[in-house]
């Protein structure tokens, strides 16, 4: 089962200059709880954005560079290879935008960030998925309003 984990602004932006253009307390805690113990597929730039590999999760890094390697990363050169390396069960696809475009999710765990920041990485709206859960949070203390949304295929 392929599950996307991401935060996306109302205008589709998911990143700016290798970072995230917002800070939402609790979002990282939710991400950690939902991905713990699962193989994560990501692009090289997403892997490089972490200060260190995230504990208790496999980091399968999809890259076109045949010479790239990093401590804590398992390297894949195609989506098919990444999925084969991940094995059976849930595979957490965590970005970036180019990586999301390579896979078709069975489920999406989305943080909808209700703002429209400038950015240079975006993900289009998801089609063919049904919303099955939503938890809305109001804007407060400089944090934009946001919603935790679960979508499933079918």
């Amino acid at each position: 089962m392929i599950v996307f984990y991401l935060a996306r602004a109302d205008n589709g932006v998911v990143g700016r200059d290798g970072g995230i253009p917002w800070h939402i307390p609790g979002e990282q805690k939710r991400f950690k709880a939902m991905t713990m113990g699962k193989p994560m597929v990501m692009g090289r730039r997403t892997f490089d954005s972490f200060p260190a590999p995230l504990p208790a999760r496999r980091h399968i890094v999809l890259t076109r560079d045949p010479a790239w390697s990093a401590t804590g990363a398992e390297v894949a050169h195609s989506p098919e290879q990444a999925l084969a390396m991940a094995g059976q069960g849930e595979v957490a696809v965590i970005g970036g935008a180019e990586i999301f475009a390579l896979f078709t999710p069975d489920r999406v765990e989305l943080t909808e960030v209700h703002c429209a920041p400038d950015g240079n990485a975006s993900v289009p709206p998801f089609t063919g998925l049904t919303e099955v859960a939503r938890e809305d949070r109001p804007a407060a203390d400089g944090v934009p309003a946001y919603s935790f949304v679960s979508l499933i295929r079918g």
Side-chain angles (χ1 to χ4, degrees):
M1 171 183 281
I2 298 172
V3 182
F4 285 6
Y5 292 90
L6 72 150
R8 182 182 66 209
D10 290 337
N11 62 353
V13 167
V14 296
R16 177 176 57 222
D17 300 330
I20 299 171
W22 53 75
H23 174 72
I24 297 175
E27 182 188 27
Q28 291 176 345
K29 182 178 179 182
R30 181 176 186 259
F31 174 84
K32 179 180 180 181
M34 295 181 96
T35 61
M36 189 61 69
K38 297 175 182 157
M40 299 185 308
V41 174
M42 68 201 78
R44 182 197 47 80
R45 288 185 296 241
T46 296
F47 181 83
D48 287 345
S49 73
F50 299 145
L54 303 176
R57 287 159 276 191
R58 289 175 57 204
H59 296 67
I60 300 170
V61 179
L62 192 49
T63 178
R64 291 181 288 263
D65 183 348
W68 186 86
S69 68
T71 301
E74 300 173 48
V75 179
H77 298 291
S78 71
E80 297 79 16
Q81 184 184 16
L83 291 176
M85 290 169 69
Q88 297 297 314
E90 182 179 317
V91 178
V93 176
I94 65 166
E98 290 181 39
I99 301 304
F100 288 124
L102 297 173
F103 294 92
T104 301
D106 298 297
R107 190 173 89 228
V108 176
E109 294 298 336
L110 174 65
T111 302
E112 292 179 344
V113 184
H114 302 302
C115 62
D118 291 332
N120 56 358
S122 62
V123 171
F126 296 105
T127 58
L129 298 167
T130 302
E131 184 176 314
V132 295
R134 174 177 291 269
E135 184 181 328
D136 296 322
R137 303 283 176 93
D141 301 322
V143 175
Y146 61 97
S147 303
F148 292 138
V149 181
S150 297
L151 307 164
I152 60 168
R153 184 156 306 283

